[in-house]
Amino acid sequence: MMLQVLAVVLGAFTSSPTPAPSQITSQGSNQVFNGPVAAGAWFRVRNLRGAIEVRHTSGRNVVVSATRGFDAGSDADVRFDVRRDGANVTVCAIWPRTTRCDARGYESDSDSRDWRERRAGKVDFVVELPRGINLLAATGNGTVEVRNTGAEVKASSGNGEVTVIGATGRVSASSGNGDLEVERAGGEVEASTGNGDITVSTSLGPVSASSGNGSIDVAMASLRSADDMEFSTGNGSIELKVPSNFSAVVEANVAYRNFETDFPMQMGDRWSSRRVEGKIGNGGRRIKFSTGNGHVRIRKNG
């Protein structure tokens, strides 16, 4: 299917007085997309540098605005491509070194030693999204915040905090370096960060979460019967809040003195002072915990 490409190029401008080379100045908002996207289709926004904010709108169209933050010494232009594949739409910030941006992903051959790349500034996106549309929001460097919109949501940052609140479906949230917050999700959640804390609440599990360095706090209002889950952190505590009818086979790579549960647990044959293994309720699903330095706690909701 032919791609329809819309390119909007930020033009030249002047400012007075001229800011110092290290100063970042905002140019002003430019609308780069305004159009309908069908419920159940995917709307994607991809960026190399800059924040992405997604918020609910009661209107029928998806509206995307971009604000360029530039360094006074920067000569790098940014343009915006809007591509359609069927009912889906992808909005891309195209930097001089961007090699690919489409429905499948974003690639750049950026060289941090190139002074032009270091001085190229950033682009911040604001997306107004009607309910019922699936969302992918990804940036290489910057925060991602999604509030009270999105059906299924995939939100990621290479370096920055990621927040998803009020999505009606499943959520995938990830960051190379930053805290993750997923609240009031309507479906299962996958969350991973290389360095940061993870906080998750969802009406329907399962949830899986991993952090290279940070605490994990997860609450689930209900669980599907047979889904396994895994929670791991290199350095930090893990707290899991589950319904009172919770059942599971538990495997926890944690010192016995650092393991707590509100549920009666039948200990297995393989438990030791450095590893906990046992069954809560009728068993069934398998839950694995791992922490290099911290506590593991299984709590009853409420």
Side-chain angles (χ1 to χ4, degrees):
M1 183 173 295
M2 293 184 62
L3 300 177
Q4 300 176 354
V5 180
L6 170 63
V8 180
V9 182
L10 296 180
F13 55 89
T14 59
S15 59
S16 180
T18 301
S22 61
Q23 183 176 349
I24 298 295
T25 306
S26 294
Q27 177 187 356
S29 179
N30 295 267
Q31 189 174 105
V32 299
F33 178 78
N34 187 337
V37 177
W42 280 94
F43 183 81
R44 312 178 189 96
V45 56
R46 300 188 186 274
N47 195 8
L48 179 63
R49 287 186 298 271
I52 300 175
E53 177 188 348
V54 185
R55 58 200 185 198
H56 168 67
T57 178
S58 58
R60 299 180 62 182
N61 286 359
V62 178
V63 179
V64 181
S65 300
T67 301
R68 166 82 178 271
F70 60 93
D71 189 294
S74 173
D75 60 357
D77 289 328
V78 181
R79 63 186 177 88
F80 300 98
D81 283 354
V82 180
R83 304 188 173 199
R84 290 187 179 271
D85 57 297
N88 309 310
V89 175
T90 303
V91 173
C92 297
I94 306 297
W95 297 81
R97 289 181 176 271
T98 300
T99 57
R100 192 193 80 176
C101 182
D102 53 30
R104 296 175 298 163
Y106 192 107
E107 295 179 1
S108 173
D109 64 355
S110 295
D111 186 345
S112 61
R113 296 170 297 180
D114 190 324
W115 70 271
R116 288 171 299 181
E117 286 298 312
R118 296 198 301 270
R119 298 164 71 94
K122 63 176 183 175
V123 168
D124 294 333
F125 281 112
V126 174
V127 180
E128 300 174 47
L129 189 75
R131 295 191 187 278
I133 299 171
N134 297 322
L135 171 71
L136 183 149
T139 182
N141 187 11
T143 60
V144 177
E145 183 176 305
V146 182
R147 289 186 177 271
N148 301 315
T149 191
E152 180 175 350
V153 173
K154 298 179 180 180
S156 64
S157 173
N159 180 38
E161 297 180 358
V162 175
T163 303
V164 181
I165 298 177
T168 59
R170 73 173 65 182
V171 174
S172 173
S174 64
S175 176
N177 179 36
D179 294 342
L180 302 181
E181 180 183 6
V182 180
E183 299 291 338
R184 293 186 282 110
E188 62 190 77
V189 175
E190 294 182 3
S192 64
T193 178
N195 179 38
D197 296 334
I198 297 176
T199 304
V200 173
S201 72
T202 180
S203 61
L204 178 65
V207 173
S208 292
S210 64
S211 174
N213 180 35
S215 64
I216 297 174
D217 191 336
V218 173
M220 289 172 283
S222 62
L223 279 160
R224 292 203 296 263
S225 58
D227 293 305
D228 297 339
M229 292 179 283
E230 187 167 354
F231 307 93
S232 65
T233 176
N235 181 36
S237 293
I238 303 170
E239 181 159 309
L240 177 65
K241 302 179 184 73
V242 291
S244 58
N245 62 351
F246 176 70
S247 292
V249 174
V250 176
E251 298 178 9
N253 290 319
V254 64
Y256 181 74
R257 67 179 182 277
N258 292 336
F259 180 85
E260 303 174 35
T261 177
D262 291 345
F263 296 86
M265 191 164 80
Q266 180 182 348
M267 301 303 292
D269 296 334
R270 298 177 58 188
W271 79 275
S272 68
S273 61
R274 300 182 62 84
R275 173 184 168 84
V276 177
E277 183 174 314
K279 184 173 72 172
I280 295 175
N282 298 321
R285 70 177 64 84
R286 187 172 298 272
I287 299 184
K288 295 182 179 180
F289 299 92
S290 178
T291 175
N293 182 27
H295 289 74
V296 171
R297 303 178 178 92
I298 305 176
R299 304 299 193 198
K300 291 182 181 180
N301 273 331

